[in-house]
Each structure stands twice: as C-alpha cells, then as structure tokens.
Amino acid sequence: MEPAIKLNPGCTKWDIRQKVWDYIEANNLANFPRPVHHRIPNFKGAAQAGGKLATLPEFRSSSVVKVNPDKPQEQARFITLDARKTLLVPTPRLRTGLFNKIVPPQGATKEELRICSTSRGVKEYSVPIGLDASVHVDLVVVGSVAVSEKGYRIGKGEGFADLEYAMMVAMGAVTDSTIIVTIVHDCQIVNIPEELIESHDLTVDYILTPTRVIKTDCTCPKPQGILWTKCDVDTLEKIPILKKLCRMEEEAGKDVALKKELPRGDPSQAAAREPGKRDGEPERGGGSVPASVSEVPRQGRITTVYMGGIPAGLRVSELKGVLRERGALPLRLNWQGAQHRAFLDYTDLHSAEEALAALQGLILSGNSVCAELARSQRGDRNAGRAPRRPKVTKAAESGAQDQSAP
C-alpha cells in the first residue's frame, strides 16, 4: 500500500513527526487530546486497531505483556487483562521505577477491567515492580508517531520507549526474541529512511492499524542494553532506577562510563558564564545549563543564536531533539519558553553559522521558527570576548526552565 504521507529526501526524524502530526490534524483523524503535536496520536479507530492484538499467535501464547500507558493503547491493555494475562505498564517518565503491574479486583467484571485499562485504572490498580523481581516479558506494545513496514519506528522524541526497553534488557526482562508491537493509524505508516535508525532505536515486529496487521520481519537488531555514554549524571539523578541499574552493572564489571562531564574548575566554564559572574553563582532565570557536556570549548569566544517563534507547548527536550537531529546542538541553551524564544550558545562564530544554516526553514507545530545571530553578535564589535547575554526580565526569569529534562 502506498503511504499517504510522502517524505522529502534528506528528511530528519523531526520532519517526519511534523508531517504526521500535521496530516492527522489537517484530516481530522484524531480524538481527544488535541492537537496531536508532541503526543502519541490518539487516532480514530485506535480501539479497532488495538483489538487486532488478540489475533496474533504470539499474543495468545504470551503470559506477561507490557503496554505503554497512552490512550490509543487502551484497548490493548483491556484485551490483555480480559485474557487473564499479566499486564505491566511503564511508570510515568520513569520517575519512581521501571514499570507497575495492574492488579484488577478479585473476580473483576469486563466493565471493571475496562476501568483498569484506563489512565485512572493505571493509577488506582497498579503495584510497583522492583529491579530485584524476576520478570520475563513476552510481548511489548509501544506507541509510535511514525513507523515503516520494515519495522523502523519513530516516537514523539523523548526517548522513553527506547530507554524503557534498554532498561528491560539490562534487568533481563526481555531478549532478542521478545515481540514488539505498535498500534497506529494507517497514515502513520511511512517510508522511514534506514539511515535515520540508530543503535538505541527500538524497532517493531508487528504493526496493527484499523485495517491491517503487518508482520515486518525486521532484521535490524533491537537495543542490546543501556548506552551509558548517552547518559549523564543529571539524567541519573532524574531517573533513580537508572542510577540503580548503573550501580548494578558497574558491580557486575560492565563499562558504565557516562557522557563526558565538564571537570570542576575547568577554565572553559568561565567562557560560558556571563561576564562578571562569580564562581558558584546560579544562572539568571535558571534556564541556562549545558546542552551537552561531551563537547566543551577550550578556546575561542562564545557566539549566541536567537530562536524566536517557538510554539506554545513545545518542551525543551523536544527542541533539543530537533537541534540534535539537525546537527545544531549548542554548548548551552537558555530556554525562555514563556516568551516563545531561546538563546543558543556555540563555541565560535563558525559553529553558530553552521547551526543557522541547518535551522533555516525550520517549522515546529506549524510555526515558522526564526533563527538568527543574537543582537550582541551582529557585526564585529564584540570580537575577542564572550558576548553579553541578552538582559533577562523578571517575567523571563519566571518563565525560564531547566533544559536538562530527559
């Protein structure tokens, strides 16, 4: 079947997400919540697509099924409970653990099982599963923004499905033979270029839509565990279970070297701070922290790029994903989402100009985003010294957010 959405040559993951979200909205193919941008779309026909899970022989032979908590997978959760299988759901944003087990009331009716399948049920009828629990998951159901018939999958850009799977690998809950299923609208099936798929990306074995059941026969290896070099200390602090897994793997003799950190007292820290800021003084607005500590400048002046027209509702982690995909990830990112803008610090003028070229024509949630050198950078008046950061008002201070959320 020819995909409904055509992709342009050289497209990025973000371009694909944007096209799918725009298409679903333009064709009124979604239920609440709307708009679908920055979400796993709750498409019309999701229950019909989810109902096809019961037809899979791998589901019928399974005992333990993990299903993500998004609305379009609600029917899959119900079918799992109705088949009297063990249902696991991931803990929201992995804050308190990896996953919870849904425990329906004794002798639950179908109506009670439907309640257990909802977001309310996930909160009221679940118990946490610890890392020390011996769990083997037979089948995993994940949401997607886009997927290809070859099994390549793109999520909403936060990476939680990939990380959840990698953590399950680390605790021995899944193997290469574990079946991965995604449930999407037919329009979400697109020809994702193979070169966009990285080693940490989760691929799928089955695609369920309102009209089709697709067995992908995907040959791309699934993630083999946690890529610690993509994690930093801040990520571990935000996800305690990840920190515990790191200790466990380290004790087992595995290499758990994290993303390269900036050493304390490194002279390059001064270049990235505002002129005149004392050591240990917090950044104004709380929104300017390293975007990536793996690349730290040793010399040269910081050059700042202004981004305006950032749409309301966009998360800073999503903006970072766009910048990463376009090869424009800065040294530091000063997020002022309430003012629909951000300031990006690059190691020098050349790096900033390369980023500007990569960001031309950027559209986020239907908004054309402006990217240009910050006013303090225009001309050569500041050559040889770090630029003065644009003045931050009290309103901007209250709107600034920490960009390091996973």
Side-chain angles (χ1 to χ4, degrees):
M1 181 181 294
E2 191 69 19
I5 299 173
K6 310 297 183 185
L7 303 181
N8 299 323
C11 63
T12 66
K13 288 181 180 177
W14 186 263
D15 295 331
I16 295 172
R17 292 184 189 106
Q18 194 70 49
K19 275 185 170 290
V20 171
W21 287 326
D22 289 348
Y23 185 92
I24 290 175
E25 282 295 333
N27 291 276
N28 194 30
L29 297 176
N31 294 315
F32 177 85
R34 302 276 295 269
V36 297
H37 294 83
H38 316 299
R39 305 178 189 274
I40 299 297
N42 183 24
F43 59 92
K44 294 178 179 179
Q48 183 180 355
K52 290 181 167 60
L53 182 65
T55 68
L56 302 183
E58 292 89 346
F59 173 79
R60 291 196 294 268
S61 64
S62 67
S63 297
V64 180
V65 179
K66 176 180 175 287
V67 184
N68 83 329
D70 293 314
K71 181 67 174 177
Q73 277 69 53
E74 187 175 299
Q75 182 69 7
R77 295 193 294 273
F78 168 73
I79 285 174
T80 300
L81 291 175
D82 192 42
R84 299 301 188 259
K85 300 179 186 295
T86 297
L87 172 62
L88 303 179
V89 294
T91 302
R93 305 187 76 82
L94 302 176
R95 288 191 184 96
T96 58
L98 179 52
F99 39 58
N100 287 10
K101 176 182 176 181
I102 304 300
V103 182
Q106 188 75 20
T109 64
K110 283 187 180 293
E111 185 57 35
E112 288 173 322
L113 292 179
R114 287 201 179 278
I115 293 174
C116 291
S117 306
T118 65
S119 57
R120 169 190 159 191
V122 169
K123 292 177 182 176
E124 295 181 4
Y125 296 98
S126 65
V127 295
I129 302 294
L131 282 180
D132 53 350
S134 180
V135 177
H136 178 77
V137 179
D138 302 304
L139 186 143
V140 175
V141 180
V142 297
S144 301
V145 172
V147 65
S148 77
E149 291 193 16
K150 293 183 178 180
Y152 306 146
R153 170 192 173 274
I154 293 177
K156 61 184 177 183
E158 294 186 332
F160 281 106
D162 301 328
L163 182 56
E164 287 163 9
Y165 183 86
M167 291 169 70
M168 286 193 290
V169 171
M171 65 182 292
V174 294
T175 66
D176 287 341
S177 62
T178 302
I179 298 299
I180 312 297
V181 178
T182 194
I183 301 172
V184 297
H185 191 277
D186 290 276
C187 75
Q188 292 175 258
I189 301 176
V190 299
N191 292 326
I192 300 172
E194 184 176 359
E195 57 268 21
L196 292 182
I197 304 304
E198 302 176 74
S199 59
H200 65 271
D201 288 324
L202 182 62
T203 54
V204 303
D205 302 296
Y206 281 98
I207 304 168
L208 308 182
T209 81
T211 65
R212 306 168 70 191
V213 173
I214 302 170
K215 193 172 189 298
T216 68
D217 296 318
C218 185
T219 58
C220 184
K222 295 182 175 68
Q224 298 301 299
I226 300 168
L227 297 178
W228 294 109
T229 53
K230 289 185 174 289
C231 301
D232 55 27
V233 172
D234 186 60
T235 302
L236 264 60
E237 291 300 326
K238 291 178 181 297
I239 306 178
I241 191 172
L242 188 62
K243 187 176 184 179
K244 186 174 181 180
L245 270 173
C246 184
R247 286 199 303 267
M248 290 171 60
E249 293 212 343
E250 185 176 28
E251 290 169 0
K254 296 183 180 179
D255 183 3
V256 295
L258 302 178
K259 183 187 293 183
K260 193 173 181 182
E261 298 261 8
L262 180 66
R264 288 176 178 252
D266 192 295
S268 62
Q269 284 181 306
R273 289 196 299 267
E274 290 182 40
K277 184 175 287 299
R278 296 186 298 275
D279 288 343
E281 182 178 345
E283 297 284 353
R284 292 185 294 180
S288 179
V289 294
S292 172
V293 292
S294 60
E295 295 181 2
V296 179
R298 294 291 171 179
Q299 58 185 355
R301 68 186 183 90
I302 302 298
T303 303
T304 303
V305 167
Y306 164 81
M307 288 190 73
I310 294 174
L314 185 76
R315 296 187 180 99
V316 67
S317 58
E318 293 167 339
L319 177 60
K320 280 182 61 181
V322 175
L323 296 172
R324 184 178 293 110
E325 289 173 9
R326 291 192 170 230
L329 192 65
L331 169 69
R332 302 171 70 84
L333 188 155
N334 186 10
W335 175 253
Q336 296 178 13
Q339 287 71 43
H340 309 290
R341 66 191 180 195
F343 294 93
L344 318 179
D345 284 348
Y346 294 91
T347 55
D348 51 37
L349 180 60
H350 177 69
S351 298
E353 288 176 339
E354 287 187 335
L356 285 171
L359 295 173
Q360 293 308 302
L362 177 62
I363 297 177
L364 300 177
S365 300
N367 292 31
S368 295
V369 177
C370 165
E372 60 187 14
L373 287 178
R375 289 180 183 176
S376 60
Q377 309 298 302
R378 299 169 195 167
D380 201 32
R381 293 171 297 177
N382 297 312
R385 64 182 177 88
R388 182 175 300 278
R389 185 176 295 284
K391 186 175 180 180
V392 181
T393 65
K394 289 186 177 180
E397 288 180 11
S398 63
Q401 302 175 16
D402 186 346
Q403 66 83 43
S404 59

